[in-house]
Short mmCIF file of all heavy atoms in Angstrom, two decimals:
data_model
loop_
_atom_site.label_atom_id
_atom_site.label_comp_id
_atom_site.label_asym_id
_atom_site.label_seq_id
_atom_site.Cartn_x
_atom_site.Cartn_y
_atom_site.Cartn_z
N MET A 1 -4.61 -26.56 -86.88
CA MET A 1 -5.79 -27.10 -87.61
C MET A 1 -6.87 -27.50 -86.57
O MET A 1 -8.00 -27.25 -86.77
CB MET A 1 -5.36 -28.20 -88.45
CG MET A 1 -6.57 -28.83 -89.22
SD MET A 1 -6.27 -29.58 -90.74
CE MET A 1 -5.26 -28.35 -91.63
N GLU A 4 -8.79 -24.65 -85.33
CA GLU A 4 -9.73 -24.07 -86.31
C GLU A 4 -10.93 -24.96 -86.59
O GLU A 4 -12.07 -24.51 -86.66
CB GLU A 4 -9.01 -23.70 -87.55
CG GLU A 4 -9.82 -23.06 -88.67
CD GLU A 4 -9.03 -22.66 -89.87
OE1 GLU A 4 -7.79 -23.00 -89.95
OE2 GLU A 4 -9.59 -22.25 -90.82
N TYR A 5 -10.72 -26.22 -86.72
CA TYR A 5 -11.75 -27.17 -87.22
C TYR A 5 -12.23 -28.14 -86.12
O TYR A 5 -13.20 -28.88 -86.33
CB TYR A 5 -11.25 -27.98 -88.37
CG TYR A 5 -10.97 -27.15 -89.59
CD1 TYR A 5 -9.59 -26.91 -90.02
CD2 TYR A 5 -11.93 -26.59 -90.31
CE1 TYR A 5 -9.32 -26.16 -91.10
CE2 TYR A 5 -11.65 -25.78 -91.45
CZ TYR A 5 -10.37 -25.58 -91.84
OH TYR A 5 -10.10 -24.85 -92.91
N GLY A 6 -11.58 -28.20 -84.96
CA GLY A 6 -11.84 -29.21 -83.95
C GLY A 6 -11.42 -30.57 -84.40
O GLY A 6 -10.92 -30.80 -85.53
N LEU A 7 -11.72 -31.58 -83.60
CA LEU A 7 -11.30 -32.91 -83.82
C LEU A 7 -12.07 -33.51 -85.01
O LEU A 7 -11.43 -34.16 -85.92
CB LEU A 7 -11.50 -33.79 -82.61
CG LEU A 7 -10.90 -35.21 -82.68
CD1 LEU A 7 -9.44 -35.14 -82.82
CD2 LEU A 7 -11.33 -35.97 -81.40
N SER A 8 -13.38 -33.30 -85.06
CA SER A 8 -14.12 -33.95 -86.14
C SER A 8 -13.78 -33.27 -87.55
O SER A 8 -13.91 -33.97 -88.57
CB SER A 8 -15.64 -33.97 -85.87
OG SER A 8 -16.04 -32.57 -85.72
N GLY A 9 -13.52 -32.01 -87.57
CA GLY A 9 -13.28 -31.32 -88.82
C GLY A 9 -11.79 -31.40 -89.28
O GLY A 9 -11.55 -31.02 -90.41
N THR A 10 -10.98 -31.92 -88.39
CA THR A 10 -9.60 -32.07 -88.85
C THR A 10 -9.47 -33.42 -89.44
O THR A 10 -9.47 -34.42 -88.85
CB THR A 10 -8.59 -31.95 -87.60
OG1 THR A 10 -8.79 -30.70 -87.06
CG2 THR A 10 -7.18 -32.20 -87.94
N THR A 11 -9.31 -33.43 -90.74
CA THR A 11 -9.23 -34.69 -91.58
C THR A 11 -7.80 -34.82 -92.11
O THR A 11 -7.03 -33.91 -92.22
CB THR A 11 -10.25 -34.63 -92.72
OG1 THR A 11 -9.90 -33.55 -93.64
CG2 THR A 11 -11.67 -34.47 -92.21
N VAL A 12 -7.48 -36.04 -92.46
CA VAL A 12 -6.21 -36.35 -93.12
C VAL A 12 -6.08 -35.53 -94.42
O VAL A 12 -5.03 -34.97 -94.69
CB VAL A 12 -6.05 -37.84 -93.39
CG1 VAL A 12 -4.78 -38.14 -94.29
CG2 VAL A 12 -5.92 -38.66 -92.10
N ARG A 13 -7.19 -35.42 -95.16
CA ARG A 13 -7.14 -34.61 -96.39
C ARG A 13 -6.77 -33.13 -96.09
O ARG A 13 -5.96 -32.55 -96.71
CB ARG A 13 -8.48 -34.69 -97.10
CG ARG A 13 -8.57 -34.07 -98.45
CD ARG A 13 -9.84 -34.31 -99.21
NE ARG A 13 -10.13 -35.77 -99.27
CZ ARG A 13 -9.55 -36.59 -100.11
NH1 ARG A 13 -8.66 -36.20 -100.96
NH2 ARG A 13 -9.98 -37.87 -100.19
N ARG A 14 -7.35 -32.59 -95.10
CA ARG A 14 -7.16 -31.18 -94.67
C ARG A 14 -5.65 -31.00 -94.20
O ARG A 14 -4.97 -30.05 -94.50
CB ARG A 14 -8.02 -30.69 -93.61
CG ARG A 14 -9.35 -30.12 -94.14
CD ARG A 14 -10.08 -29.38 -93.01
NE ARG A 14 -11.20 -28.69 -93.63
CZ ARG A 14 -12.46 -28.63 -93.15
NH1 ARG A 14 -12.68 -29.22 -91.95
NH2 ARG A 14 -13.38 -28.00 -93.76
N ILE A 15 -5.27 -31.94 -93.41
CA ILE A 15 -3.89 -31.94 -92.85
C ILE A 15 -2.87 -31.93 -94.07
O ILE A 15 -1.91 -31.13 -94.12
CB ILE A 15 -3.58 -33.10 -91.93
CG1 ILE A 15 -4.48 -32.92 -90.67
CG2 ILE A 15 -2.15 -33.23 -91.53
CD1 ILE A 15 -4.60 -34.15 -89.76
N ALA A 16 -3.12 -32.90 -95.00
CA ALA A 16 -2.24 -33.02 -96.11
C ALA A 16 -2.22 -31.77 -97.01
O ALA A 16 -1.15 -31.32 -97.44
CB ALA A 16 -2.65 -34.20 -97.00
N ALA A 17 -3.40 -31.19 -97.18
CA ALA A 17 -3.44 -29.96 -98.01
C ALA A 17 -2.70 -28.80 -97.29
O ALA A 17 -1.94 -28.05 -97.96
CB ALA A 17 -4.90 -29.53 -98.17
N GLN A 18 -2.86 -28.66 -95.98
CA GLN A 18 -2.10 -27.64 -95.29
C GLN A 18 -0.61 -27.84 -95.33
O GLN A 18 0.18 -26.91 -95.42
CB GLN A 18 -2.56 -27.48 -93.86
CG GLN A 18 -1.87 -26.32 -93.13
CD GLN A 18 -2.56 -26.02 -91.84
OE1 GLN A 18 -3.62 -26.55 -91.47
NE2 GLN A 18 -1.87 -25.31 -91.00
N ALA A 19 -0.22 -29.17 -95.25
CA ALA A 19 1.23 -29.54 -95.33
C ALA A 19 1.81 -29.48 -96.74
O ALA A 19 3.06 -29.58 -96.87
CB ALA A 19 1.45 -30.87 -94.71
N GLY A 20 0.92 -29.40 -97.69
CA GLY A 20 1.36 -29.40 -99.07
C GLY A 20 1.84 -30.79 -99.57
O GLY A 20 2.70 -30.88 -100.43
N VAL A 21 1.27 -31.81 -98.99
CA VAL A 21 1.60 -33.16 -99.41
C VAL A 21 0.33 -34.00 -99.70
O VAL A 21 -0.78 -33.48 -99.56
CB VAL A 21 2.41 -33.95 -98.28
CG1 VAL A 21 3.68 -33.18 -97.97
CG2 VAL A 21 1.48 -34.03 -97.01
N PRO A 23 -2.55 -36.95 -99.29
CA PRO A 23 -3.00 -37.68 -98.07
C PRO A 23 -2.35 -39.07 -97.91
O PRO A 23 -2.13 -39.59 -96.83
CB PRO A 23 -4.55 -37.95 -98.46
CG PRO A 23 -4.87 -36.77 -99.30
CD PRO A 23 -3.59 -36.54 -100.16
N VAL A 26 0.72 -38.71 -95.78
CA VAL A 26 0.41 -38.56 -94.35
C VAL A 26 0.10 -39.93 -93.77
O VAL A 26 0.58 -40.34 -92.68
CB VAL A 26 -0.82 -37.68 -94.14
CG1 VAL A 26 -1.27 -37.69 -92.71
CG2 VAL A 26 -0.47 -36.26 -94.59
N LEU A 36 -1.89 -39.59 -86.00
CA LEU A 36 -1.32 -38.24 -86.18
C LEU A 36 -1.72 -37.32 -85.00
O LEU A 36 -0.97 -36.46 -84.43
CB LEU A 36 -1.93 -37.63 -87.49
CG LEU A 36 -1.38 -36.29 -87.88
CD1 LEU A 36 0.16 -36.25 -88.03
CD2 LEU A 36 -2.04 -35.89 -89.22
#
Side-chain angles (χ1 to χ4, degrees):
M1 178 150 314
E4 185 176 354
Y5 297 108
L7 189 61
S8 62
T10 299
T11 62
V12 170
R13 186 172 306 283
R14 275 194 169 137
I15 294 165
Q18 185 170 346
V21 299
V26 173
L36 186 55

